[in-house]
Amino acid sequence: MTSHIMPTYGRLPITFERGEGAWLFDQNNNRYLDAVSGVAVCSLGHAHPAVHQAICKQSEKLLHTSNLYNIAVQEQLADKLIEKSGMDNVFFCNSGAEANEAAIKLARKYGHEQGIENPAIIVMEKSFHGRTLATLSATGNAKIQQGFAPLVEGFIRVPYNDVKAIEQAVEQHKNVVAVLVEPIQGEGGVNVPADDYLNQIRSLCDRHHLLMMLDEIQTGVGRTGRFLAFQHNGILPDVCTLAKALGNGVPIGACLARGKAAKVFTAGNHGSTFGGNPLACSAALAVLATLDAENLIEQAAQKGDAICSAFKEQLRGNTHVVDIRHKGMMIGIELDSPCAELVQAALQNNLLINVTSEKTIRLLPPLIINDQQIAQLVETLSTLIVKHTDTPHES
Ligand SMILES: *Cc1c(COP(=O)(O)O)cnc(C)c1O
């Protein structure tokens, strides 16, 4: 049978029919342990009753009215996000790329207001910010940009985890208005920077009057053991973008701003038909309430530590394991050779994992994963890694 879907994805040969917590079931009712969570989206697991109930109840009343009118659940969600983040206001959209588009537009307008005609944003090597034209231009991955020239201008790229490189770029280019960075690079290989990296960027941005813009689309909403990853550093950015886990599968994105950045957009500057609609906002409100009610963010920190210690124990002495790193439940196991085939091998063992940046196994389990499931994840994957690294392969 030919598919009529554009072939933009390399898909695994499996179709899931339903989910329950950390489990997914295929069409033959075979059970798989999900350690990817739809790429950091379903942090509460699949078919969480709180999200289910919230969207059912909302759909009985109202799905959409547009932003021509006030939307009460959107106001409530904004209040909650502000309370939890320490930011000042929010623009709602439908995806991560759109949240970053809002941030990029905000930074440019901020620059223009200061008389900078050609505002530039510093971005990082190996970064990922999305697939729209502006966000793929900001992304530090030649493969993602290949074939889509001319790219959007106004981005200056420097190495990740290198504050001096940012400083040099700022001194060299008089038109820099913002720094856009992921607190931990996800697609780029689960790259965890130095503990004080964000603090250093904060003080650099203060010294040079730049907007510090954090892409927390993957790290946010509890994933790293804090509601937002920057909360590990005791700082506040000027702009912060969210999406992925915010709706636990219902599409929603958000661009949060603070202080001078919160005053940049005025009526008519930006918009979205669906952004912040009642359905998506009611799902997100349920997600935030459930994270608190089930104490899941604190658990993300503890379970993440437990998972990594267990892998370190199981893989101790394996010289092909270069590094095991994590913050909360954002976990990377870097091998010394490409390991994309481990995804297939894991699938055959009823386990869903991801490999990114060729050599790094990325685990983003749902925050509700239990001890038994953690044990199964560590046992199954460690065995596969040992097998993989024992087998000679081309490098
Ligand atoms: C997934 C992701 C995006 C893009 O989000 P979409 O919803 O796919 O547009 C942007 N930045 C980061 C860090 C991401 O992980």
Side-chain angles (χ1 to χ4, degrees):
M1 218 169 56
T2 46
S3 172
H4 296 106
I5 312 256
M6 283 194 192
T8 58
Y9 305 101
R11 297 174 197 267
L12 290 161
I14 188 157
T15 307
F16 296 110
E17 202 155 88
R18 66 189 174 91
E20 200 184 311
W23 300 114
L24 279 170
F25 297 83
D26 70 10
Q27 291 165 316
N28 300 316
N29 214 26
N30 297 310
R31 193 172 79 162
Y32 296 78
L33 181 61
D34 184 3
V36 184
S37 309
V39 198
V41 168
C42 300
S43 284
L44 306 185
H46 301 283
H48 194 287
V51 178
H52 165 70
Q53 279 158 24
I55 63 184
C56 282
K57 265 174 79 180
Q58 185 61 50
S59 72
E60 285 174 351
K61 293 191 283 187
L62 202 57
L63 290 178
H64 177 87
T65 57
S66 91
N67 288 297
L68 291 170
Y69 316 103
N70 296 316
I71 300 173
V73 275
Q74 190 182 115
E75 295 286 350
Q76 284 166 34
L77 178 59
D79 290 350
K80 260 271 165 326
L81 286 174
I82 282 349
E83 176 197 317
K84 288 182 154 299
S85 66
M87 304 295 279
D88 287 336
N89 59 17
V90 192
F91 173 83
F92 287 110
C93 51
N94 314 288
S95 68
E98 278 179 78
N100 285 336
E101 286 277 344
I104 292 164
K105 281 180 69 175
L106 192 155
R108 283 188 171 193
K109 183 150 190 280
Y110 170 77
H112 283 286
E113 282 168 2
Q114 294 172 90
I116 298 171
E117 271 174 33
N118 211 2
I121 300 170
I122 294 182
V123 292
M124 307 301 148
E125 288 171 7
K126 296 188 184 166
S127 62
F128 182 78
H129 298 297
R131 300 288 199 146
T132 62
L133 266 177
T135 58
L136 78 83
S137 302
T139 290
N141 181 335
K143 263 196 219 156
I144 284 174
Q145 298 175 339
Q146 182 74 41
F148 299 112
L151 301 182
V152 172
E153 21 175 331
F155 296 105
I156 298 166
R157 197 167 306 287
V158 300
Y160 189 62
N161 197 19
D162 184 346
V163 183
K164 280 213 183 84
I166 303 176
E167 189 90 54
Q168 279 168 6
V170 173
E171 274 157 20
Q172 215 179 328
H173 304 268
K174 291 297 159 211
N175 58 338
V176 175
V177 295
V179 177
L180 173 62
V181 58
E182 295 156 87
I184 296 171
Q185 289 186 327
E187 304 304 306
V190 193
N191 302 320
V192 183
D195 282 345
D196 66 346
Y197 181 54
L198 296 185
N199 303 76
Q200 302 252 10
I201 294 179
R202 180 65 277 174
S203 59
L204 183 153
C205 286
D206 287 341
R207 276 200 310 279
H208 295 279
H209 309 289
L210 311 177
L211 297 182
M212 177 181 187
M213 308 205 297
L214 293 180
D215 180 341
E216 291 244 18
I217 290 162
Q218 194 160 145
T219 53
V221 197
R223 175 58 50 189
T224 72
R226 292 290 173 99
F227 181 64
L228 297 165
F230 69 70
Q231 292 169 335
H232 289 284
N233 296 78
I235 53 135
L236 285 170
D238 302 295
V239 174
C240 168
T241 53
L242 300 178
K244 291 206 163 91
L246 186 54
N248 208 57
V250 177
I252 181 168
C255 177
L256 285 64
R258 187 181 64 87
K260 53 192 189 286
K263 299 191 178 87
V264 172
F265 282 152
T266 55
N269 283 160
H270 199 39
S272 163
T273 297
F274 292 129
N277 87 2
L279 180 75
C281 290
S282 63
L285 277 168
V287 168
L288 300 185
T290 305
L291 287 172
D292 286 343
E294 298 184 9
N295 198 24
L296 289 174
I297 300 180
E298 207 178 302
Q299 285 183 43
Q302 290 160 0
K303 289 174 188 174
D305 288 347
I307 292 170
C308 276
S309 307
F311 273 115
K312 283 179 183 164
E313 178 74 30
Q314 290 282 321
L315 296 168
R316 192 176 20 209
N318 187 324
T319 55
H320 299 285
V321 178
V322 175
D323 193 20
I324 301 176
R325 52 182 175 258
H326 81 296
K327 210 162 220 174
M329 298 271 258
M330 192 162 172
I331 301 164
I333 303 173
E334 184 180 340
L335 304 185
D336 65 353
S337 63
C339 58
E341 66 261 34
L342 274 175
V343 174
Q344 276 278 3
L347 183 65
Q348 276 153 25
N349 285 272
N350 295 62
L351 173 66
L352 306 178
I353 61 164
N354 176 255
V355 168
T356 186
S357 200
E358 285 178 2
K359 297 178 192 171
T360 301
I361 301 161
R362 176 172 51 162
L363 304 176
L364 301 158
L367 310 188
I368 50 85
I369 191 169
N370 66 33
D371 290 347
Q372 247 179 326
Q373 293 163 333
I374 287 174
Q376 183 182 332
L377 163 64
V378 173
E379 161 91 39
T380 307
L381 184 54
S382 298
T383 305
L384 290 171
I385 291 171
V386 168
K387 229 187 212 157
H388 172 82
T389 51
D390 277 352
T391 317
H393 41 256
E394 302 113 67
S395 58

